[in-house]
């Protein structure tokens, strides 16, 4: 039996992780509780909320694991644009970049903004001037 | 065994600390710390200070004894038998003290170093952040100059003495444009300036040291609390890593030694199959291997200490000592437990506590993986920059050494492409 497309194509928006390049490649369309809301260039129904802590509302289903795990209480539960429950990073300024939410999220809906220059910081550790 | 390379004075320090450890540290303190009933071993620090045992290598005018590094590591091995938490409490004045003694102003030495070595002020250090510890130069905590002060914002994690310390040596970013190793500065920040504890960690071992996550939100730090030059945290970090890692290396030798001594006495008496278990090579060879590793560790720690005393760059030697001694120490504790069998896994013996303690040593003060990164980096630069003319070219001692076309290092991937 030959399939013309796989199930993955049918559900692609819901099973691939959050687009971690969204801060560079998506459009900032509005502000919500002080954080930006982003949409992909070719789709006006999908939203990612947050700058430091980004949450893909198409993936998030409000399981609240991140709410319980976050040591600084960044997240709150709310009703998303499509009517289902999502978590919103309303206190993203309090994020301490521990990444526990990214690790615990069962659908990889969360992306924490990374500091640039990790190669530089490694070089500083290894080759920094001898003081 | 180790005595042959120690001076008479160094053996004297060892015996003095051994006596202090035997007589002046209450067993109840160790048990209270491990059962989470204590937040900081103040009485231990006060007792060590009373005997003038803190910061042995610092000048006498600031409360030290003006001794060498070897004396400190000899003392640390003895303190190590008490476990990693008291070893940490004993080491912190040496670590934070290094920054103040080497880079601090005379006011800072009087205000912080002296009372620390007198046991009147408790110090802590803030290096690791929630985002990481080994990637030190990626520090996010920031200090911005405002008038005669710096406004510090940031968080530090796994701070020993986070609960309990009076002040912290904290690294913060002060230059937001420069390369990472030219962007950090070190500050002495007192708890009363506004340092808050947000999380007290429950630990596998190393208990009773108040390990916490501390938060600084718009904390105003007077500019006179900047340690060393602005943006030169790199120099202080590199200096501080010597005591940080040498003390980390020496303590686990004590833990491993204590456990192996227990195991040797046990194997001498304990019987199985009609004889003392020490008669089985499966047991006695563990003792042979572990004590050999511990002695090798002592050798590496001793060499690093000697080099540190010269003031020369000693990062390779210190990192080698840290890796080897923490792994030898942990292995010794692990094998001692194996020799005791089930009873070694209970709290009838202290091996299970020291096991939980020793596990930390390979992780903290720069994980052993990072130490290996440092070691290989130093070794590659050392070998690749050395003057080869002083040594025999062993590479040529082979019949095929002239076949240089066989000594291939790389090849153009398009070598066989059609032209």
């Amino acid at each position: 039996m030959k399939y013309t497309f796989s199930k993955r194509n049918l559900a692609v928006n819901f099973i691939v992780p959050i687009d971690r390049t969204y801060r560079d490649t998506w459009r900032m369309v509005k502000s919500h509780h002080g954080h930006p809301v982003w949409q992909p260039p070719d789709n006006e129904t999908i939203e990612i909320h947050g700058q430091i802590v980004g949450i893909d509302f198409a993936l998030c289903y409000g399981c609240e694991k991140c709410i319980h795990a976050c040591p600084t209480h960044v997240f709150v539960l709310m009703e998303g644009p499509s009517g289902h429950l999502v978590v919103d990073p309303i206190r993203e300024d309090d994020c301490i970049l521990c990444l526990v939410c990214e690790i615990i999220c069962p659908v990889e809906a969360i992306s924490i903004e990374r500091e640039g220059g990790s190669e530089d910081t490694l070089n500083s550790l290894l080759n920094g001037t001898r003081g | 065994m180790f005595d042959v390379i120690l001076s008479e004075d160094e053996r004297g320090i060892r015996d003095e600390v051994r006596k202090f450890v035997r007589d002046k540290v209450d067993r109840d303190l160790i048990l209270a710390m491990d059962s989470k009933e204590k937040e900081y071993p103040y009485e231990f620090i006060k007792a060590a200070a009373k005997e003038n045992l803190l910061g042995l290598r610092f000048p006498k005018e600031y409360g030290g004894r003006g001794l060498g590094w070897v004396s400190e590591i000899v003392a640390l091995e003895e303190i190590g038998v008490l476990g990693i938490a008291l070893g940490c409490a004993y080491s912190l004045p040496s670590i934070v003290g290094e920054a103040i003694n080497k880079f601090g102003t005379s006011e800072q030495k009087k205000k912080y170093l002296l009372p620390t070595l007198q046991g009147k002020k408790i110090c802590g250090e803030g290096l690791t952040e929630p985002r990481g510890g080994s990637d030190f130069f990626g520090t996010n905590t920031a200090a911005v100059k405002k008038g005669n002060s710096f406004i510090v914002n940031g968080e530090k994690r796994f701070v020993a003495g986070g609960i309990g310390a009076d002040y912290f040596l904290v690294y913060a970013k002060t230059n937001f444009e420069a390369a990472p190793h030219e962007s950090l500065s070190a500050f002495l920040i007192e708890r009363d300036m506004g340092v808050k504890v947000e999380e007290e960690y429950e630990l596998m071992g190393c208990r009773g040291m108040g390990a916490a996550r501390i938060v600084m939100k718009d904390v105003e730090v007077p500019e006179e609390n900047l340690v060393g030059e602005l943006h030169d945290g790199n120099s202080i970090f590199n200096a501080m890593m010597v005591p940080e890692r040498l003390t980390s290396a020496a303590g686990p030798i004590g833990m491993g030694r204590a456990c192996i001594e227990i195991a040797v006495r046990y194997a001498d008496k304990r019987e199985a199959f009609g004889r003392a278990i020490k008669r089985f090579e499966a047991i006695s060879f563990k003792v042979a291997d572990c004590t050999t590793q511990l002695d090798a560790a002592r050798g590496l720690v001793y060499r690093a200490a000697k080099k540190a005393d010269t003031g020369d760059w000693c990062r390779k030697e210190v990192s080698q000592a840290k890796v080897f001694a923490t792994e030898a120490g942990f292995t010794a504790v692990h094998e001692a437990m194996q020799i005791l069998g089930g009873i070694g896994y209970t709290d009838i013996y202290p091996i299970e506590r020291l096991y939980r303690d020793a596990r930390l040593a390979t992780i903290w003060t720069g994980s052993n993986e990072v130490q290996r990164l440092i070691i290989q980096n130093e070794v590659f630069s050392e070998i690749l920059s050395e003057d080869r003319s002083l040594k025999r070219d062993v590479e040529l001692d082979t019949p095929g050494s002239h076949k240089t076309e066989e000594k291939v290092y790389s090849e153009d991937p398009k070598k066989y492409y059609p032209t």
Side-chain angles (χ1 to χ4, degrees):
Chain A
M1 192 174 173
K2 192 181 169 192
Y3 292 98
T4 51
F5 51 78
S6 72
K7 286 182 183 172
R8 182 182 169 85
N9 295 110
L10 273 178
V12 68
N13 285 333
F14 305 98
I15 61 167
V16 296
I18 183 171
D19 180 354
R20 294 181 194 282
T21 69
Y22 79 88
R23 297 175 188 88
D24 299 320
T25 56
W26 291 30
R27 294 172 293 126
M28 195 189 292
V29 292
K30 60 181 175 188
S31 176
H32 178 245
H33 284 300
H35 58 253
V37 177
W38 310 74
Q39 285 181 341
D42 55 352
N43 189 322
E44 291 186 358
T45 59
I46 297 175
E47 287 183 357
I48 289 179
H49 278 228
Q51 172 71 32
I52 302 163
V53 180
I55 300 181
D56 189 332
F57 280 7
L59 292 167
C60 177
Y61 63 101
C63 74
E64 303 184 45
K65 286 193 167 73
C66 56
I67 293 180
H68 295 300
C70 176
T72 58
H73 314 294
V74 163
F75 308 100
V76 295
L77 197 64
M78 69 166 204
E79 193 175 304
S82 58
H84 69 289
L85 287 176
V86 292
V87 294
D88 197 31
I90 64 161
R91 285 179 289 269
E92 65 166 8
D93 288 343
D94 289 343
C95 174
I96 56 172
L97 314 181
C98 71
L99 307 184
V100 68
C101 57
E102 263 199 29
I103 295 163
I104 209 164
C105 178
V107 290
E108 298 186 59
I110 304 176
S111 163
I112 304 297
E113 191 172 26
R114 300 296 201 275
E115 284 282 298
S118 61
E119 195 65 29
D120 289 347
T121 58
L122 177 61
N123 286 336
S124 285
L125 184 72
L126 297 180
N127 303 321
T129 53
R130 293 188 169 200
Chain B
M1 50 187 173
F2 196 44
D3 290 24
V4 293
I5 52 173
L6 295 182
S7 70
E8 203 181 321
D9 287 347
E10 288 156 357
R11 284 198 297 274
I13 286 289
R14 181 196 58 194
D15 295 343
E16 186 183 340
V17 178
R18 197 170 271 184
K19 199 159 169 283
F20 168 78
V21 165
R22 186 190 66 194
D23 300 335
K24 299 285 168 73
V25 183
D26 197 337
R27 169 181 168 275
D28 290 344
L29 172 67
I30 297 172
L31 301 188
M33 288 170 76
D34 194 48
S35 56
K36 306 178 187 177
E37 289 160 20
K38 290 280 295 181
E39 286 183 337
Y40 202 88
Y42 298 104
E43 53 272 66
F44 168 78
I45 287 296
K46 289 200 185 315
K50 194 177 166 201
E51 306 292 327
N52 193 205
L53 288 174
L54 296 178
L56 292 173
R57 69 183 190 287
F58 298 128
K60 288 178 185 168
E61 62 174 312
Y62 297 118
R65 291 200 198 182
L67 299 175
W69 250 116
V70 174
S71 297
E72 273 216 40
I73 56 121
V74 163
L76 237 311
E77 177 178 334
E78 299 308 319
I79 300 282
V81 307
L82 299 168
I84 207 162
L86 291 176
C88 175
Y90 181 78
S91 303
L92 274 167
S94 170
I95 297 165
V96 173
E98 176 78 6
I100 305 173
N101 184 51
K102 207 163 184 177
F103 298 91
T105 60
S106 57
E107 285 74 28
Q108 287 171 347
K109 289 176 193 174
K110 277 182 220 140
K111 192 173 172 189
Y112 294 102
L113 183 58
L114 179 62
T116 300
L117 301 190
Q118 288 172 332
K120 293 175 182 165
K121 265 190 183 161
I122 304 293
C123 62
E125 57 170 339
L127 275 82
T128 294
E129 298 190 346
R131 56 165 292 286
S134 293
D135 188 1
F136 168 74
F137 287 97
T139 292
N140 275 345
T141 296
V144 179
K145 188 84 192 286
K146 187 183 167 194
N148 295 328
S149 302
F150 285 88
I151 306 300
V152 179
N153 279 287
E155 318 214 359
K156 300 289 177 179
R157 183 188 243 190
F158 309 143
V159 177
I163 300 158
D166 297 303
Y167 71 96
F168 305 92
L169 191 287
V170 170
Y171 289 87
K173 197 185 275 278
T174 46
N175 188 332
F176 301 88
E177 311 296 331
H181 67 274
E182 293 163 349
S183 66
L184 303 182
S185 303
F187 297 90
L188 290 162
I189 303 184
E190 296 185 20
R191 181 184 299 278
D192 293 346
M193 290 173 185
V195 178
K196 298 267 180 288
V197 172
E198 292 262 324
E199 176 77 29
E200 185 179 0
Y201 295 103
E202 298 292 342
L203 304 180
M204 174 182 176
C206 193
R207 294 176 182 164
M209 278 296 290
R213 175 162 61 86
I214 59 170
V215 177
M216 291 152 288
K217 216 162 200 167
D218 294 326
V219 170
E220 195 174 334
V221 180
E223 63 182 346
E224 58 265 27
N225 280 35
L226 169 72
V227 184
E229 300 288 320
L230 188 63
H231 312 318
D232 194 26
N234 173 65
S235 297
I236 301 165
F237 171 76
N238 282 330
M240 257 175 88
M241 286 306 103
V242 174
E244 177 114 358
R245 291 166 181 162
L246 267 185
T247 55
S248 294
I253 299 176
M255 285 183 250
R257 184 191 85 196
C259 290
I260 286 292
E261 286 169 359
I262 291 168
V264 163
R265 287 192 290 270
Y266 185 84
D268 180 54
K269 288 187 193 153
R270 173 75 173 178
E271 292 181 359
F273 308 105
R275 70 193 96 162
I277 60 171
K278 72 174 177 185
R279 299 289 167 213
F280 294 102
E281 286 165 1
I283 301 298
S284 62
F285 280 18
K286 285 188 199 302
V287 172
D289 288 344
C290 289
T291 50
T292 304
Q293 295 282 308
L294 289 175
D295 272 349
R298 283 187 186 97
L300 280 171
V301 174
Y302 177 85
R303 179 192 59 162
K306 284 296 235 191
K307 187 146 188 207
D309 270 341
T310 66
D312 287 346
W313 183 252
C314 56
R315 187 153 67 161
K316 181 189 74 175
E317 290 78 5
V318 168
S319 292
Q320 287 175 322
K322 197 271 177 179
V323 166
F324 195 87
T326 54
E327 291 174 8
F330 180 68
T331 303
V333 177
H334 175 93
E335 293 292 31
M337 184 179 279
Q338 195 69 21
I339 291 171
L340 265 74
I343 199 71
Y345 193 67
T346 70
D347 71 356
I348 305 294
Y349 284 93
I351 298 176
E352 64 84 21
R353 173 172 53 80
L354 291 167
Y355 188 98
R356 289 184 280 111
D357 276 0
R359 185 64 188 83
L360 177 59
T362 62
I363 298 172
W364 74 0
T365 70
S367 69
N368 283 16
E369 289 71 25
V370 163
Q371 302 308 321
R372 286 180 164 92
L373 267 182
I374 290 170
I375 294 164
Q376 62 80 27
N377 187 65
E378 298 280 318
V379 169
F380 271 99
S381 80
E382 201 175 291
I383 292 177
L384 296 179
S385 64
E386 77 173 347
D387 179 2
R388 295 186 65 199
S389 66
L390 300 170
K391 288 181 179 169
R392 180 182 180 84
D393 192 349
V394 179
E395 219 172 293
L396 301 178
D397 292 342
T398 155
S401 65
H402 61 287
K403 295 177 184 172
T404 49
E405 72 277 10
E406 292 298 328
K407 295 186 174 177
V408 178
Y409 302 106
S410 65
E411 193 170 67
D412 179 2
K414 295 177 181 170
K415 190 175 172 185
Y416 301 110
Y417 275 25
T419 49

